[in-house]
Amino acid sequence: MEEKKISKVIDLKRIRVTDAFWKKEIALVRDTVIPYQWEALNDRVPESEPSYCMHNFKVAGRINRKKEQDPDYVQPVYTANGFCVWPEDPENPEDKFYGFVFQDSDFAKWIEAVGYILQQFPDPELEKTADEAIDIVCSAQQPDGYLDTFYIINDISRRFTNLRDHHELYCLGHLIEGAVSYYQATGKEKLLDAACRFAACVAEHIGPEPGKLHGYPGHEIAEMALARLYEVTGQEKYRDLGLYFINERGKKPYYFDSEHPSEIQSREEQRYRYHQSHLPVREQTEAAGHAVRAAYLYSGMADYARLASDYELEAACERIWEDITRRKMYLTGGVGGTSVGEAFSFAYDLPNDTAYAETCASIGMIFFARRMLELNPDSKYADVIERELYNIVLGGMGLDGTSFFYVNPLEVVPEACHEDKRKEHVKAVRQKWFGCACCPPNLARLVSSVGTYVFTETEDTVYVHLYIGSHMEKQLASGLAQIDMQSGFPWNGNVSVQVACESEETFTVALRIPDWCGKYRLKGIEGAAMREEKGYLYITKAWKTDTFRIEFPMEIQVVEADTEVRETIGKAALMRGPIVYCLEESDNGKDMHLLKMDENASYETEQKEISTESVIAIKAQGWRQRKVQNKRLYNTHVKAAYERTVLTWIPYYTWANRGEGEMQVWTRI
Amino acid sequence: MEEKKISKVIDLKRIRVTDAFWKKEIALVRDTVIPYQWEALNDRVPESEPSYCMHNFKVAGRINRKKEQDPDYVQPVYTANGFCVWPEDPENPEDKFYGFVFQDSDFAKWIEAVGYILQQFPDPELEKTADEAIDIVCSAQQPDGYLDTFYIINDISRRFTNLRDHHELYCLGHLIEGAVSYYQATGKEKLLDAACRFAACVAEHIGPEPGKLHGYPGHEIAEMALARLYEVTGQEKYRDLGLYFINERGKKPYYFDSEHPSEIQSREEQRYRYHQSHLPVREQTEAAGHAVRAAYLYSGMADYARLASDYELEAACERIWEDITRRKMYLTGGVGGTSVGEAFSFAYDLPNDTAYAETCASIGMIFFARRMLELNPDSKYADVIERELYNIVLGGMGLDGTSFFYVNPLEVVPEACHEDKRKEHVKAVRQKWFGCACCPPNLARLVSSVGTYVFTETEDTVYVHLYIGSHMEKQLASGLAQIDMQSGFPWNGNVSVQVACESEETFTVALRIPDWCGKYRLKGIEGAAMREEKGYLYITKAWKTDTFRIEFPMEIQVVEADTEVRETIGKAALMRGPIVYCLEESDNGKDMHLLKMDENASYETEQKEISTESVIAIKAQGWRQRKVQNKRLYNTHVKAAYERTVLTWIPYYTWANRGEGEMQVWTRI
């Protein structure tokens, strides 16, 4: 069998994002989100639930020091049952563990984003803050490498007894991701060593050998993190541990049952699906359960499909990919149709107003997609990355950079969010921070590393997946090639690329043809062999100093969902380029269920200011159904009467930046 | 101020239901439901959760006997915390309390239905069974009159400590209702005495006097039951206790807080609304909280508005009535838009697929409506009774009489019920019995007493509220008047009435003009003064031996909801007479979201057999949207293409009698 050609991710050191649109976003993360997060980790954000993240590390560190200083010191044992315990006096918390069991990961996500920023923007002051934080975190580590403050503070003898719910391996995964990022930025090994030691400690307790626990994480991420740690350190034990988690998952008898024997009777199939542990992963055929966990698992599966050339694993990934993107993904890229278990719902069940569509799940989809791209350069993966980035990722963060959405609905009626407990999870305005702060720091690490999603490479090919203006360097046999791309995305489809090689050399530039376009106009290429394959235009020539342009016409598109989707039947939405549009009350008034699009409307773009953002809005003639004034709730049907109205759509990612109001992506047509 | 003219309910002894349609339903209750219920109360229904109702009474009786026989006997004390405890071995339960805290009420509802049946159909064998059951129940009563097996068995010292959750006063209320019914049927006083003694015991502990608890029921019903007990016994202490419950409810500081001080901090406004205890009842302006509780409370309020000529209370009832019927009631009469708290949702929030619309809540609406009718003969109340009866009440029971719906959705996709936890409460097929068996016995007591809803009377007027063929007797100054009504309802609107008086005497017959019709053709009346007022046609004349006919044209009506109702925008439904229609998969195929009604269709009726029922179905030309075969989930919109199809509607009450399938009341138009 031909060995698979892997197209490799390029790390941030070799990429410089020059894109006006994204530089602004990255700067927001650098200048606003990261400092804000640091305040949040230290419980200094007013009117926001404290994180207790750094508090917990400090408490664990103090316990360690006491033990060192006094061999007779007996650590108090607290109950380690709770998922979430808050202090009675938040101003003066005691030396206990507070917050969710996974609170440590807040730091890890922060340091990961810090690492990405430092790789691009040296900042000694930020690095100093980070080093001090790392000292605090490392002070909590146990002599054997264990590093999870929930058990260190509460009762270390109980560690590894509840892999299903207690997120130790999740914290390990995030710690690795953060440590690698910071190491790559600074070359400093302290946190990387700590992460390696924690991973080694876990490998001492969990694995195939007799006497070890045959478990796996309740919340996946360690799988892909360990793959990354292996790639950075070259140490196979990390790869082996991650692969063990992948292989062990879903085997019968269920490991989680051995941890929770009293629940076996009452446990439903559904419960196993929540953790994607209902079947061995290679037998799974559809996306199931908690969407973030799922996307992280599938990402890890794709990693090991690559690292182990495991075609069976790759086939499982591909089946699941198709299931998600063909049956379980919102137009915005959101995944997780149900708030029950924050999970994938059944095929085509995509309710707009009760959607979960967690920001983190979309970030997980980006991870999954990039890994699939590495295995198989098919534009369908990069199309999803683009869809997630310009809609959910950008929309997950307010334009102010200090307010965030967990849940990304496609339809909101504020009254329903306030009054209807079934929509409790849906917020009509972004929240400042969350006690369970997974999404904001996840956004920060994604946006700050967005440059790594632009290109991948093989020996002889540079793939351009995203049209985010960037500069990158490629090592060729004859020397370095500088590749510089300018792009008008997401507002226009004009891209220009300069290639400058030290010496003339033949290689290929492969340009993604976006799914929302399918066509392009190429200018300035001569003497090249060109072919299209799986959504990429491959341009092979001897490059020296070349400039070419490619234009993707960005037309307004009226889109509809498959007729199997009950929630959108009779409705349509607008897209332009990668951007999904929505109607907001600010522009279109209340009672948006009365609005209707006109089949024959002509759509026009218009520059519009939304808070600090200048965007392209779309206007068209549409209809507003007349309200009928009746004495009764139910009346004889009369053909609906409509009056003309102008409908104004704005980019979905800018919704909820002008106060609370109705919003909808899908409108009757 | 002019004293209010009350139109009085006529008890079953003076009414005989002769209606072909309803005789069949009553016979089903008599011959099938009541015997089936008796088996259920005794845990003898296979494949159904045991009730433990009679078990608990027997256990309590055994404890009493042991105490009598052995003065040193020490009763074991169990924990009385649980709401719902089931035995480890259901075949051989121990001498403990099992089931929900309100399990006693199962018996009470059964005996109430038995009483109604015996009032109409003497049945010595049934009466013997009932007497034996009553002996068992009374054996559980304490020397001071207390009679709630949950506390008698678990720990009687803790009685009255959790009025909010533990349903003692709910059980009292049902016991009174059952006891009065059985007393009215048989003249036997044993159960009535037991109920009176329990009520007196409660009055010893709860009331305005110092040293008593200033509480009220967590689940209302005792209010209206005590009003009824007062009317039967003439003893004012029962009326005073019920009125105390009404008056005390919602006062600050909240009584339930005094029972549950630890919850005060975390208790939300919502939580008080659940029990309708967020405001004093006279200040309440909208229907709120658990819909069954709410409807029972409003019924009680209407009782005391009448008994105490309390206009402020009546005004509150009227405001709430308008809120429900103008903003919070489904087309079927269902109330309770949200499964969260089985509660009223906010105004116009009437989702079809996640509806709660509990059968019991609709029965509660019938109670409320009848009481409002007594205060104020306005057809709007009787219209609701009719809507509830022909849709939710009939639909709540399978045509076999042994399967039941708790929840009455207006749209069902079986896959969603199975896969989607948000719709867990929605069943696509009727269930055999329920561990929490409130609806089936409630249906039995309602259907068996349906005759009491047909007429009310004042001294000089007989009101005909429902066109259910019946015979009634009215006492006039000059002797008895026999009134005999035949009706084609619900299949045709032809009604004929014979009046036969011992002597000629002038009085009024007031006939309701149904809201779905608004017009009528009257034949055979001569020399009468006629006027229309609040939806009634008042015919005043000297009656002797008269026969007249009134015809209400039963045309098929295409109806729509107010434009404020988001869930039904762009949709319509069919009604014919009082009957709401629906589409079922059996007749119309799968994927009913693709169906569309034709604005210009002509609708035709057709006789159709659904299981054992011969009904009028409706057929019309309609449309089925063509499925679009696409590779992707989201595609460029193309104007929807439709193909002709014949749509077949059946009465809503007959749905889910032909296996599992999709159903919808509202269809796109």
Side-chain angles (χ1 to χ4, degrees):
Chain A
M1 204 187 293
E2 194 193 2
E3 204 186 331
K4 202 152 185 104
K5 217 170 172 184
I6 299 301
S7 86
K8 289 183 184 147
V9 173
I10 298 169
D11 69 42
L12 277 178
K13 291 221 164 146
R14 282 169 54 208
I15 296 172
R16 197 171 69 245
V17 174
T18 57
D19 191 277
F21 187 87
W22 282 98
K23 265 175 84 172
K24 184 168 50 66
E25 297 295 331
I26 295 167
L28 191 65
V29 167
R30 183 191 61 201
D31 302 334
T32 304
V33 181
I34 285 179
Y36 181 83
Q37 270 185 275
W38 179 243
E39 295 305 295
L41 293 183
N42 287 283
D43 313 325
R44 294 188 296 248
V45 175
E47 291 162 54
S48 185
E49 292 177 54
S51 152
Y52 297 105
C53 175
M54 296 310 294
H55 162 92
N56 292 332
F57 282 115
K58 287 177 193 165
V59 170
R62 279 199 284 277
I63 290 170
N64 284 350
R65 278 198 299 283
K66 282 184 193 159
K67 282 186 186 166
E68 277 169 30
Q69 287 161 7
D70 174 6
D72 297 329
Y73 173 73
V74 177
Q75 185 188 338
V77 172
Y78 303 105
T79 54
N81 290 322
F83 256 85
C84 168
V85 185
W86 306 100
E88 300 205 346
D89 177 5
E91 300 284 312
N92 298 296
E94 293 175 77
D95 261 14
K96 289 185 181 173
F97 179 93
Y98 296 118
F100 290 93
V101 289
F102 46 77
Q103 222 68 353
D104 287 4
S105 64
D106 274 14
F107 158 78
K109 288 183 221 170
W110 176 78
I111 199 75
E112 188 180 344
V114 167
Y116 296 138
I117 288 296
L118 291 178
Q119 285 180 58
Q120 301 168 79
F121 311 97
D123 179 342
E125 203 174 326
L126 177 59
E127 196 170 325
K128 187 163 167 282
T129 302
D131 285 335
E132 288 167 6
I134 289 168
D135 289 342
I136 292 168
V137 168
C138 290
S139 77
Q141 191 157 36
Q142 300 301 290
D144 70 352
Y146 187 79
L147 184 42
D148 184 89
T149 66
F150 176 75
Y151 282 109
I152 293 172
I153 298 172
N154 281 313
D155 181 359
I156 202 160
S157 73
R158 295 172 66 181
R159 66 185 183 175
F160 304 128
T161 56
N162 190 352
L163 299 184
R164 189 186 73 184
D165 306 324
H166 279 180
H167 288 71
E168 286 157 295
L169 303 180
Y170 172 83
C171 289
L172 167 69
H174 269 299
L175 183 67
I176 293 170
E177 297 277 358
V180 169
S181 168
Y182 194 71
Y183 165 74
Q184 289 177 329
T186 63
K188 293 177 181 168
E189 294 182 358
K190 182 166 184 175
L191 192 64
L192 186 68
D193 284 347
C196 287
R197 290 179 59 217
F198 188 13
C201 166
V202 168
E204 284 297 308
H205 289 84
I206 305 175
E209 297 84 0
K212 291 187 181 176
L213 302 170
H214 306 316
Y216 41 85
H219 192 315
E220 301 91 329
I221 186 180
E223 299 82 352
M224 62 173 154
L226 287 161
R228 191 174 177 194
L229 190 61
Y230 158 67
E231 295 192 271
V232 167
T233 64
Q235 296 210 36
E236 293 181 354
K237 63 181 175 191
Y238 304 132
R239 182 197 62 191
D240 295 346
L241 180 61
L243 188 55
Y244 178 75
F245 289 158
I246 294 282
N247 290 336
E248 201 61 23
R249 190 164 213 92
K251 282 192 186 163
K252 285 190 177 180
Y254 296 117
Y255 178 75
F256 295 151
D257 280 350
S258 73
E259 281 184 340
H260 305 271
S262 66
E263 294 174 29
I264 295 175
Q265 286 292 326
S266 60
R267 233 183 154 198
E268 298 163 36
E269 167 68 13
Q270 206 56 34
R271 194 80 182 88
Y272 299 96
R273 288 167 68 90
Y274 176 79
H275 303 95
Q276 300 76 44
S277 59
H278 53 300
L279 280 173
V281 299
R282 286 173 186 76
E283 295 170 26
Q284 296 189 19
T285 56
E286 56 158 350
H290 186 268
V292 179
R293 288 168 211 247
Y296 285 8
L297 170 65
Y298 308 147
S299 301
M301 286 162 64
D303 275 333
Y304 292 98
R306 175 173 56 83
L307 291 174
S309 297
D310 186 329
Y311 294 99
E312 208 187 341
L313 209 45
E314 185 179 343
C317 289
E318 186 58 32
R319 281 195 306 270
I320 289 168
W321 177 271
E322 286 298 309
D323 181 54
I324 296 172
T325 57
R326 186 64 190 80
R327 288 182 282 273
K328 296 178 180 168
M329 193 173 77
Y330 287 97
L331 182 65
T332 51
V335 290
T338 175
S339 62
V340 180
E342 308 174 353
F344 284 103
S345 189
F346 58 96
Y348 304 110
D349 184 41
L350 293 162
N352 296 306
D353 57 345
T354 58
Y356 205 76
E358 187 178 339
T359 308
C360 289
S362 282
I363 292 170
M365 282 300 293
I366 294 175
F367 297 157
F368 184 25
R370 179 165 81 183
R371 285 158 175 81
M372 294 305 283
L373 262 186
E374 291 180 74
L375 285 164
N376 174 17
D378 187 320
S379 66
K380 69 183 182 183
Y381 306 118
D383 286 335
V384 166
I385 296 178
E386 193 181 71
R387 193 181 286 268
E388 303 289 5
L389 279 178
Y390 286 100
N391 299 293
I392 301 285
V393 169
L394 290 180
M397 194 158 69
L399 296 172
D400 58 6
T402 61
S403 57
F404 306 91
F405 276 134
Y406 240 61
V407 164
N408 297 281
L410 283 82
E411 182 177 318
V412 159
V413 175
E415 187 180 18
C417 300
H418 301 313
E419 304 267 350
D420 183 349
K421 289 263 173 192
R422 291 161 301 176
K423 294 178 186 161
E424 225 173 7
H425 61 289
V426 179
K427 306 295 177 201
V429 288
R430 289 179 185 78
Q431 310 289 298
K432 292 206 77 169
W433 193 259
F434 298 92
C436 170
C438 67
C439 296
N442 230 349
L443 279 171
R445 70 187 185 119
L446 195 280
V447 170
S448 57
S449 62
V450 74
T452 62
Y453 295 89
V454 179
F455 307 102
T456 59
E457 63 178 355
T458 62
E459 203 174 329
D460 61 2
T461 304
V462 174
Y463 286 93
V464 181
H465 302 298
L466 299 177
Y467 296 101
I468 293 178
S470 306
H471 175 272
M472 70 92 81
E473 288 177 354
K474 179 164 178 61
Q475 187 64 55
L476 300 170
S478 62
L480 272 185
Q482 309 284 339
I483 297 176
D484 202 57
M485 173 170 65
Q486 288 92 44
S487 160
F489 275 49
W491 307 121
N492 71 64
N494 302 335
V495 175
S496 96
V497 179
Q498 288 85 46
V499 181
C501 302
E502 288 182 308
S503 313
E504 185 175 277
E505 187 170 334
T506 297
F507 65 96
T508 301
V509 175
L511 301 163
R512 170 178 148 260
I513 307 161
D515 59 348
W516 44 262
C517 168
K519 57 189 174 183
Y520 54 86
R521 201 157 43 187
L522 187 68
K523 290 178 190 168
I525 288 284
E526 278 168 30
M530 296 205 275
R531 65 185 170 92
E532 283 184 34
E533 194 184 328
K534 292 184 191 168
Y536 287 83
L537 171 65
Y538 287 80
I539 307 172
T540 305
K541 69 184 282 286
W543 301 89
K544 176 69 175 95
T545 309
D546 299 79
T547 297
F548 68 89
R549 292 174 59 83
I550 188 161
E551 292 172 20
F552 303 104
M554 255 185 208
E555 285 157 17
I556 296 164
Q557 295 178 84
V558 183
V559 296
E560 64 184 24
D562 192 292
T563 42
E564 296 288 337
V565 181
R566 287 171 191 265
E567 299 278 341
T568 52
I569 201 77
K571 294 182 174 181
L574 293 190
M575 288 190 73
R576 183 176 177 278
I579 289 194
V580 172
Y581 280 77
C582 68
L583 297 172
E584 249 199 339
E585 185 180 320
S586 304
D587 305 306
N588 300 287
K590 276 192 187 299
D591 293 326
M592 299 211 303
H593 64 294
L594 298 175
L595 299 179
K596 198 166 176 179
M597 291 164 72
D598 185 330
E599 290 276 7
N600 304 311
S602 57
Y603 294 88
E604 283 172 22
T605 59
E606 180 188 84
Q607 207 65 31
K608 189 174 174 79
E609 311 302 309
I610 310 267
S611 175
T612 55
E613 193 89 345
S614 182
V615 304
I616 290 182
I618 301 176
K619 273 187 186 315
Q621 286 283 333
W623 302 101
R624 176 175 275 271
Q625 186 173 341
R626 285 218 182 92
K627 287 198 184 190
V628 182
Q629 301 299 333
N630 271 309
K631 261 186 64 192
R632 293 177 179 161
L633 183 51
Y634 300 103
N635 300 283
T636 300
H637 170 72
V638 284
K639 200 167 184 312
Y642 292 89
E643 53 204 30
R644 271 278 172 218
T645 189
V646 173
L647 301 177
T648 303
W649 284 262
I650 60 165
Y652 175 79
Y653 82 85
T654 63
W655 83 277
N657 279 289
R658 296 177 293 173
E660 187 177 274
E662 292 182 30
M663 182 278 290
Q664 69 189 28
V665 169
W666 294 101
T667 301
R668 287 192 292 152
I669 189 163
Chain B
M1 201 185 295
E2 193 194 0
E3 204 186 333
K4 201 151 186 103
K5 216 170 172 183
I6 299 301
S7 86
K8 290 184 184 147
V9 172
I10 300 168
D11 69 42
L12 278 178
K13 290 221 163 146
R14 282 171 52 209
I15 296 173
R16 198 171 66 247
V17 174
T18 56
D19 192 274
F21 187 87
W22 282 97
K23 266 175 84 170
K24 182 167 54 65
E25 297 296 330
I26 296 167
L28 191 66
V29 168
R30 183 191 60 202
D31 302 333
T32 304
V33 182
I34 286 179
Y36 181 83
Q37 270 184 273
W38 178 242
E39 294 304 295
L41 293 182
N42 287 283
D43 314 325
R44 293 187 297 247
V45 175
E47 291 161 55
S48 186
E49 290 176 56
S51 151
Y52 296 105
C53 175
M54 296 310 295
H55 162 92
N56 292 331
F57 282 114
K58 287 176 193 164
V59 170
R62 277 199 285 276
I63 289 170
N64 285 350
R65 278 197 299 282
K66 280 184 194 161
K67 281 185 186 167
E68 278 169 29
Q69 288 161 7
D70 175 5
D72 297 329
Y73 173 73
V74 178
Q75 184 187 342
V77 171
Y78 303 105
T79 55
N81 290 321
F83 256 83
C84 169
V85 185
W86 306 101
E88 300 204 349
D89 178 5
E91 299 286 312
N92 297 296
E94 295 174 76
D95 260 13
K96 290 185 182 174
F97 179 93
Y98 297 119
F100 291 93
V101 289
F102 45 78
Q103 223 68 352
D104 287 4
S105 64
D106 274 15
F107 158 78
K109 288 183 222 172
W110 176 78
I111 198 76
E112 188 180 343
V114 167
Y116 297 138
I117 289 296
L118 291 178
Q119 285 180 58
Q120 301 167 78
F121 311 98
D123 179 342
E125 202 174 325
L126 177 59
E127 196 170 325
K128 185 161 169 280
T129 303
D131 285 336
E132 287 167 7
I134 288 168
D135 289 342
I136 292 169
V137 167
C138 291
S139 77
Q141 192 158 35
Q142 300 302 291
D144 69 353
Y146 186 79
L147 184 43
D148 184 88
T149 66
F150 177 75
Y151 281 110
I152 293 172
I153 297 172
N154 281 313
D155 181 358
I156 201 158
S157 74
R158 294 173 66 184
R159 66 184 184 175
F160 303 129
T161 57
N162 190 353
L163 299 184
R164 188 186 74 183
D165 307 323
H166 279 180
H167 288 72
E168 286 157 295
L169 303 181
Y170 172 84
C171 289
L172 168 69
H174 269 298
L175 183 66
I176 292 171
E177 297 278 358
V180 169
S181 168
Y182 195 71
Y183 166 73
Q184 289 177 328
T186 61
K188 293 179 180 169
E189 294 182 0
K190 181 166 185 175
L191 192 63
L192 186 68
D193 284 347
C196 288
R197 289 179 58 217
F198 188 13
C201 166
V202 168
E204 284 297 308
H205 289 85
I206 305 176
E209 296 84 0
K212 290 188 181 177
L213 301 171
H214 305 315
Y216 42 84
H219 193 315
E220 301 92 329
I221 187 180
E223 299 82 353
M224 61 173 153
L226 286 161
R228 192 173 178 194
L229 191 59
Y230 158 68
E231 295 192 271
V232 168
T233 63
Q235 295 210 36
E236 293 182 355
K237 64 180 173 188
Y238 304 132
R239 180 196 62 189
D240 295 346
L241 180 62
L243 188 55
Y244 179 75
F245 289 156
I246 294 280
N247 290 338
E248 200 62 22
R249 190 165 213 92
K251 281 193 187 163
K252 285 190 179 183
Y254 295 116
Y255 179 74
F256 295 151
D257 280 350
S258 73
E259 281 184 340
H260 304 271
S262 67
E263 294 174 30
I264 294 176
Q265 285 293 326
S266 62
R267 232 181 154 202
E268 298 163 34
E269 166 69 13
Q270 206 57 33
R271 193 79 181 87
Y272 299 97
R273 289 168 67 90
Y274 177 79
H275 303 94
Q276 300 76 44
S277 59
H278 53 300
L279 280 173
V281 299
R282 286 173 186 75
E283 295 170 26
Q284 296 190 18
T285 55
E286 54 159 349
H290 186 268
V292 179
R293 289 168 208 247
Y296 285 8
L297 170 65
Y298 308 148
S299 302
M301 286 163 62
D303 275 333
Y304 292 99
R306 175 172 56 83
L307 291 176
S309 297
D310 185 329
Y311 294 99
E312 208 186 341
L313 209 45
E314 185 178 345
C317 289
E318 185 58 30
R319 281 194 306 271
I320 290 167
W321 177 270
E322 286 299 309
D323 182 54
I324 296 172
T325 56
R326 187 62 190 81
R327 287 182 283 274
K328 297 178 179 169
M329 193 174 77
Y330 287 97
L331 182 65
T332 51
V335 290
T338 175
S339 61
V340 180
E342 308 173 353
F344 284 103
S345 189
F346 58 95
Y348 303 110
D349 185 41
L350 294 163
N352 296 305
D353 56 345
T354 58
Y356 206 76
E358 186 178 338
T359 308
C360 290
S362 282
I363 291 170
M365 282 299 294
I366 293 174
F367 297 157
F368 184 24
R370 179 165 80 183
R371 285 158 175 81
M372 293 305 284
L373 262 187
E374 290 181 74
L375 284 164
N376 174 17
D378 186 319
S379 66
K380 68 183 181 182
Y381 305 118
D383 286 334
V384 166
I385 295 178
E386 192 181 70
R387 193 181 285 268
E388 303 290 4
L389 279 177
Y390 286 100
N391 299 292
I392 301 285
V393 168
L394 289 180
M397 194 157 69
L399 296 172
D400 57 6
T402 61
S403 57
F404 306 91
F405 276 135
Y406 240 62
V407 164
N408 297 281
L410 283 82
E411 182 176 318
V412 160
V413 175
E415 187 180 18
C417 301
H418 301 313
E419 304 266 350
D420 184 350
K421 289 263 171 190
R422 293 161 301 176
K423 294 177 188 162
E424 221 171 11
H425 60 289
V426 179
K427 306 295 178 203
V429 289
R430 290 180 185 78
Q431 311 289 298
K432 292 204 77 168
W433 193 258
F434 298 93
C436 170
C438 65
C439 296
N442 230 349
L443 278 171
R445 69 187 184 119
L446 195 281
V447 170
S448 57
S449 63
V450 73
T452 63
Y453 296 89
V454 177
F455 307 101
T456 59
E457 63 178 353
T458 62
E459 203 174 328
D460 61 1
T461 304
V462 173
Y463 285 93
V464 181
H465 302 298
L466 299 178
Y467 296 100
I468 293 178
S470 305
H471 175 272
M472 70 93 82
E473 289 177 352
K474 179 166 178 59
Q475 186 63 55
L476 299 170
S478 62
L480 272 186
Q482 307 283 341
I483 299 178
D484 203 53
M485 172 168 67
Q486 288 93 43
S487 160
F489 275 48
W491 307 121
N492 72 64
N494 302 334
V495 176
S496 93
V497 178
Q498 288 86 45
V499 181
C501 301
E502 287 182 313
S503 314
E504 183 174 276
E505 187 169 333
T506 297
F507 65 97
T508 302
V509 175
L511 301 163
R512 168 176 150 263
I513 308 161
D515 60 348
W516 43 262
C517 168
K519 55 189 176 185
Y520 54 87
R521 202 159 41 188
L522 187 67
K523 290 178 188 167
I525 288 285
E526 277 169 31
M530 293 204 276
R531 65 185 170 91
E532 282 184 36
E533 194 184 326
K534 293 186 192 168
Y536 286 84
L537 171 66
Y538 288 79
I539 307 172
T540 305
K541 70 185 283 284
W543 301 90
K544 176 70 176 93
T545 308
D546 299 80
T547 296
F548 68 90
R549 292 174 59 83
I550 187 162
E551 292 171 21
F552 303 105
M554 256 186 209
E555 285 156 17
I556 295 163
Q557 295 178 82
V558 183
V559 297
E560 63 184 23
D562 191 291
T563 42
E564 296 289 337
V565 181
R566 289 171 190 265
E567 300 277 341
T568 51
I569 201 77
K571 294 182 173 180
L574 294 189
M575 288 189 72
R576 184 177 176 278
I579 288 194
V580 173
Y581 280 76
C582 68
L583 297 172
E584 251 200 338
E585 186 181 320
S586 304
D587 306 305
N588 301 285
K590 274 191 188 299
D591 293 326
M592 298 212 303
H593 64 294
L594 298 175
L595 299 179
K596 199 167 174 177
M597 292 165 70
D598 187 330
E599 289 277 7
N600 304 312
S602 55
Y603 294 88
E604 284 172 20
T605 59
E606 181 187 86
Q607 206 66 30
K608 190 175 173 77
E609 311 301 309
I610 309 269
S611 174
T612 55
E613 193 89 345
S614 182
V615 304
I616 290 182
I618 301 176
K619 273 188 187 312
Q621 285 285 330
W623 302 101
R624 176 175 276 271
Q625 186 173 338
R626 286 218 181 92
K627 287 197 186 191
V628 183
Q629 299 300 332
N630 271 307
K631 261 186 64 191
R632 293 179 179 158
L633 183 51
Y634 299 103
N635 300 285
T636 301
H637 170 71
V638 285
K639 199 167 186 309
Y642 293 89
E643 53 203 29
R644 272 273 170 223
T645 189
V646 173
L647 301 177
T648 303
W649 284 262
I650 59 165
Y652 175 79
Y653 82 84
T654 63
W655 83 278
N657 280 291
R658 296 177 294 173
E660 186 177 275
E662 292 181 30
M663 181 279 289
Q664 68 190 26
V665 169
W666 294 102
T667 301
R668 287 193 293 152
I669 188 162

